[in-house]
Amino acid sequence: MNAFGDLDIHLKIPDLWQQDALHRIKAGEDVVVNAPTGAGKTYLVELIAESYRHGQIVLAVPTRALANDKLREFRGKGWRVGIVTGDVAIDPEAPVVVATLETQKPRFLRGKGPRLFVIDEYQMIGDPVRGVNYELCVALAPPQTQLLMLSGSVSNPQDIVDWLQRLGRRAHLISVEKRPVPLEEIHLDALSYNPPRTVTGFWPRLVARALMADLGPILIFAPQRKGAESLARQLAAALPVENPLALSPVQKRLAGGNLEKLLNKRVAFHHSGLSYQQRAGLVEPLAKAGQLRIVVSTTGLAAGVNFSMRSVLVTESQFTLGNVQQLIRPDELLQMFGRAGRRGFDTIGYALVAPDRPRLREGKQRPVRRPKLLDWPSLIGILEVAAERGVDAFSEVTEACERLFGDTPAKVGVEHSIQCPDMPCGLRVDAERARHATANSEEILNSQGVWEPRSEQVQARWGEAKARVGETLKPALEQAAVVKSLGGGKLARIGKVFGKKRLIGFLDKKKPTRLQLAGWLLKEFSDQGVALQKRQELDALRTLPWSTLLGSGELVDTRREGFRLIGIFDYSQTMGSFDRDVWGEILFQPETRRAYPLECQNCLQRSVCEGELNPARSPALAWRQLGLVDAKGQPSLRGRIFSLFQGGEGLAIAAALEDESYAVDAIARDIANLRAGYRFDDYSQYSHRLSRACRVAYRDRTYEGYLKHGLPPHYGDGAAEVIAEWAASGGKGKRLLGDDLKFGDVQRARQEWLSLLRHIVNAPALEFARWQELQACAKAILEVDDQRLLVDDLPPLEPSQIGRVEHRLRFPRKW
């Protein structure tokens, strides 16, 4: 008997809903299953696989870890099973293949697919990052591919069915309301069991109560990696164990000292910092086998590996993503608590609750909404295929978007151009049409009464300027309203023109030849960098640097009004900014109007472009701004490279290849940064060349999901250096590790890098020498070092580690 023996026996007779789903799949229908965690969704796939004779079955799961887990589980049944993830492709033509969904998208883009495509956790359609891939795979699934979609955390599954039916598919919803293992909430502080006083600490005492009440094994969710490790150590140190877990020499070597000590006490932590071998070869199989009393995990396990324990405790209502604190969503809580109760082992699962911590009732299903983003790389790939076929590229893209989830079709930003393709402007992107029609250009009414394009203003004397009065032009300074607008003071006649009279200062009562300058005059001189004495002789007035006072005019006369000295200022020689028409006339504030581009002036769609089209950024406009497509929608070389990758990774690789001074072998090394994230930043030395190439190409632009300040969202400098140094040290670069950087991080970054290299090697050979050189470099690296994380490399459980273990906690008298 194996660890799943009880489970297998329990499920020999399928539930009614499983029989219904199996019947409909065999009848050629699509099926959407909405069933709680533990209801037997995976067993449904097993039932289908055992009896399906129509063609290949692909099970698409959210994570590589879960793909490896399913591969191991299915192979244990003696099946021929393949696996296709970013890391590895083994036997992709097998009757049953487990895969990450993104690896299947190229098949759908070519109009091909398996006979049955099973999407596990289809709520991923609403994921802000990966949802675009899930959505497009469903939208483009060919008619000959049946769909089976599984989830337990979606509140609007009928909307998914309606979507499939809108696509012309025969779809049916199967909802399962009742959990096969019901959940019960237990308040830990209400339990009557009291551990000895020697057990100290908030969590150790509460968890001890649960174990004394025979509520183990317990899965505890902690928000951070450090917190998960610390809590696991606290619990292992505080709680006695009657039957320590014996590990084999191979298992001890995998575990390392710290984890081995915890496993001996049947306690473990689980997070991304552990190596793949530690997670998939030790913690997960031991937990599945019921060998571990306590597993403390970060929140990633809720949507990751499929194993359950009798009880679940969620310690916090928020978690850290990068350096940002985020609240745990109700549907995420539902998935966490849904891990409680092992079908075949338990009759009841327990949601353990601590004071002021998340409750079972807070876990709720969540409606799936289509992601805000569109899958730009795939859509540009569609543009390229359409261009090769000689059909209208943008029409093909909009047709694909009309098949996406939701009642309102996703907008690409070319819908108007498809309806009105032959426009005088020749523009195909709606936002470009809107911006072109509302361009910020003007015309002025010139001295001859004719409209002409407005040019940059010129500097001229006010005495040369003319202003329009009715139908005629007159000198501007002869117009009182014009001169009133020139600074302070009051109007004053100077011959035919107007000037200004302003207070210059106050005469000294004791010495009439001396003057105290007015405050405004001192300030204006000071603003021009001229510091004057507050008191001046009258004879010195004419020698003051009046020309420095911009816009104040020229002092031409003075008048005494009691003890006040008034200056008369003439503006005839004062310089100002004016329009000059094609006849050379200097015009003051001529009448203006918007100047439409020549091709827009007689266009019947001008009012639509100007008033209805949105000039804001659309996907199509972004593609044009990023240089991914030309005006007709045909992908550029940069766009073709971009279309071969996920998210913004292709943008970075294209930018690097465009920099002729950037050695291709260095690019092949530095792309390790593309998926690295923030944990490697402190190790950056040379690989920042890649980020510099991105910012040269895209500056500081941000396009949600594709670029953040000029870089792909998951970019992180330093991974290339760490991977290189780790390899140079023969894999013994432990000195690089610290509180934030763990071996699992290095291992994962390395696998992501190798995955990118494999992707490049298997991509089309574009007619671009540097791209082909990059493919050759990637191939050479993989020929030397192509280590993959395979389930076959994991040690089997020892015979003593198979079977249920008693987890009730009993304190010895001497404790």
Side-chain angles (χ1 to χ4, degrees), residues 97-289:
V97 172
V98 289
T100 48
L101 179 132
E102 286 81 358
T103 63
Q104 302 302 299
K105 188 171 63 173
R107 299 175 71 177
F108 293 107
L109 288 171
R110 296 192 302 268
K112 301 178 181 180
R115 189 64 184 84
L116 176 63
F117 190 51
V118 184
I119 302 178
D120 191 22
E121 307 294 356
Y122 73 79
Q123 75 275 4
M124 291 290 293
I125 290 171
D127 186 83
V129 177
R130 298 180 64 194
V132 294
N133 299 303
Y134 278 74
E135 181 186 32
L136 199 66
C137 279
V138 174
L140 298 182
Q144 65 271 22
T145 295
Q146 282 181 266
L147 298 175
L148 171 59
M149 304 175 68
L150 310 172
S151 181
S153 57
V154 174
S155 63
N156 60 333
Q158 185 60 48
D159 290 346
I160 301 295
V161 173
D162 293 344
W163 174 35
L164 297 179
Q165 292 174 346
R166 176 167 63 83
L167 297 178
R169 309 184 70 94
R170 292 166 54 206
H172 181 78
L173 173 64
I174 294 179
S175 288
V176 182
E177 302 295 335
K178 187 177 179 181
R179 278 179 53 100
V181 180
L183 279 181
E184 180 180 324
E185 186 174 87
I186 300 289
H187 290 258
L188 293 175
D189 57 348
L191 291 174
S192 59
Y193 296 90
N194 284 309
R197 294 182 180 179
T198 51
V199 178
T200 60
F202 178 75
W203 290 118
R205 290 192 64 81
L206 288 180
V207 172
R209 286 184 172 187
L211 293 174
M212 293 171 73
D214 197 21
L215 299 180
I218 304 174
L219 175 58
I220 302 175
F221 285 105
Q224 296 176 336
R225 299 193 327 187
K226 290 180 184 178
E229 290 189 28
S230 175
L231 181 54
R233 285 193 294 268
Q234 286 182 51
L235 296 173
L239 306 178
V241 58
E242 294 180 3
N243 54 342
L245 176 62
L247 300 179
S248 69
V250 174
Q251 291 175 326
K252 289 180 180 179
R253 189 164 55 252
L254 282 183
N258 293 331
L259 184 58
E260 179 191 351
K261 292 177 182 177
L262 295 178
L263 290 173
N264 287 151
K265 296 188 175 184
R266 300 191 183 274
V267 176
F269 56 86
H270 185 289
H271 59 60
S272 59
L274 289 174
S275 71
Y276 167 73
Q277 291 82 359
Q278 289 172 325
R279 294 195 312 271
L282 285 176
V283 177
E284 293 164 10
L286 288 171
K288 282 186 176 184

Side-chain angles (χ1 to χ4, degrees), residues 216-530:
I218 304 174
L219 175 58
I220 302 175
F221 285 105
Q224 296 176 336
R225 299 193 327 187
K226 290 180 184 178
E229 290 189 28
S230 175
L231 181 54
R233 285 193 294 268
Q234 286 182 51
L235 296 173
L239 306 178
V241 58
E242 294 180 3
N243 54 342
L245 176 62
L247 300 179
S248 69
V250 174
Q251 291 175 326
K252 289 180 180 179
R253 189 164 55 252
L254 282 183
N258 293 331
L259 184 58
E260 179 191 351
K261 292 177 182 177
L262 295 178
L263 290 173
N264 287 151
K265 296 188 175 184
R266 300 191 183 274
V267 176
F269 56 86
H270 185 289
H271 59 60
S272 59
L274 289 174
S275 71
Y276 167 73
Q277 291 82 359
Q278 289 172 325
R279 294 195 312 271
L282 285 176
V283 177
E284 293 164 10
L286 288 171
K288 282 186 176 184
Q291 292 286 309
L292 299 182
R293 170 190 281 176
I294 298 168
V295 176
V296 186
S297 171
T298 50
T299 56
L301 182 62
V305 178
N306 185 23
F307 73 75
S308 300
M309 301 178 79
R310 175 174 293 177
S311 301
V312 168
L313 169 64
V314 182
T315 63
E316 297 290 347
S317 59
Q318 60 185 12
F319 64 98
T320 302
L321 183 62
N323 293 317
V324 180
Q325 289 285 333
Q326 295 192 3
L327 289 175
I328 298 174
R329 299 194 314 262
D331 61 312
E332 292 171 329
L333 272 178
L334 184 66
Q335 283 190 314
M336 292 178 189
F337 284 124
R339 297 292 183 193
R342 301 159 298 172
R343 190 171 184 177
F345 285 169
D346 304 313
T347 56
I348 298 177
Y350 298 99
L352 306 182
V353 177
D356 301 320
R357 297 307 194 276
R359 300 277 304 272
L360 177 59
R361 66 188 182 191
E362 296 172 24
K364 298 177 182 177
Q365 292 180 327
R366 187 185 188 208
V368 171
R369 300 283 182 258
R370 75 166 310 274
K372 295 180 181 179
L373 304 178
L374 288 176
D375 187 353
W376 291 3
S378 296
L379 295 180
I380 289 179
I382 293 174
L383 289 176
E384 184 175 2
V385 173
E388 293 172 355
R389 291 169 46 209
V391 299
D392 183 71
F394 280 138
S395 295
E396 293 286 300
V397 165
T398 55
E399 288 179 14
C401 289
E402 288 173 357
R403 296 179 61 82
L404 297 179
F405 182 51
D407 297 329
T408 305
K411 299 293 185 182
V412 178
V414 293
E415 287 72 20
H416 180 257
S417 76
I418 291 174
Q419 295 175 1
C420 305
D422 299 321
M423 299 275 280
C425 64
L427 299 174
R428 294 298 310 277
V429 175
D430 294 350
E432 286 186 312
R433 288 184 173 186
R435 295 181 180 195
H436 186 66
T438 58
N440 189 25
S441 58
E442 291 181 308
E443 292 180 327
I444 61 171
L445 191 64
N446 66 20
S447 58
Q448 304 301 310
V450 177
W451 293 100
E452 67 174 57
R454 189 173 198 175
S455 303
E456 289 188 11
Q457 290 191 320
V458 299
Q459 292 293 308
R461 294 182 177 84
W462 271 95
E464 303 175 70
K466 294 183 179 178
R468 184 170 292 279
V469 180
E471 298 297 324
T472 62
L473 284 178
K474 293 185 178 180
L477 294 182
E478 293 185 8
Q479 313 303 315
V482 172
V483 180
K484 271 185 179 180
S485 67
L486 302 179
K490 296 181 179 180
L491 289 177
R493 276 283 187 180
I494 307 174
K496 292 184 178 181
V497 302
F498 286 99
K500 287 287 190 73
K501 59 180 182 179
R502 304 187 70 178
L503 174 67
I504 293 180
F506 301 92
L507 297 170
D508 194 318
K509 294 181 181 180
K510 296 182 178 179
K511 191 176 181 181
T513 59
R514 181 175 292 178
L515 180 71
Q516 180 176 314
L517 296 180
W520 74 267
L521 194 58
L522 289 169
K523 182 179 183 307
E524 290 204 13
F525 274 117
S526 177
D527 290 344
Q528 300 305 316
V530 179

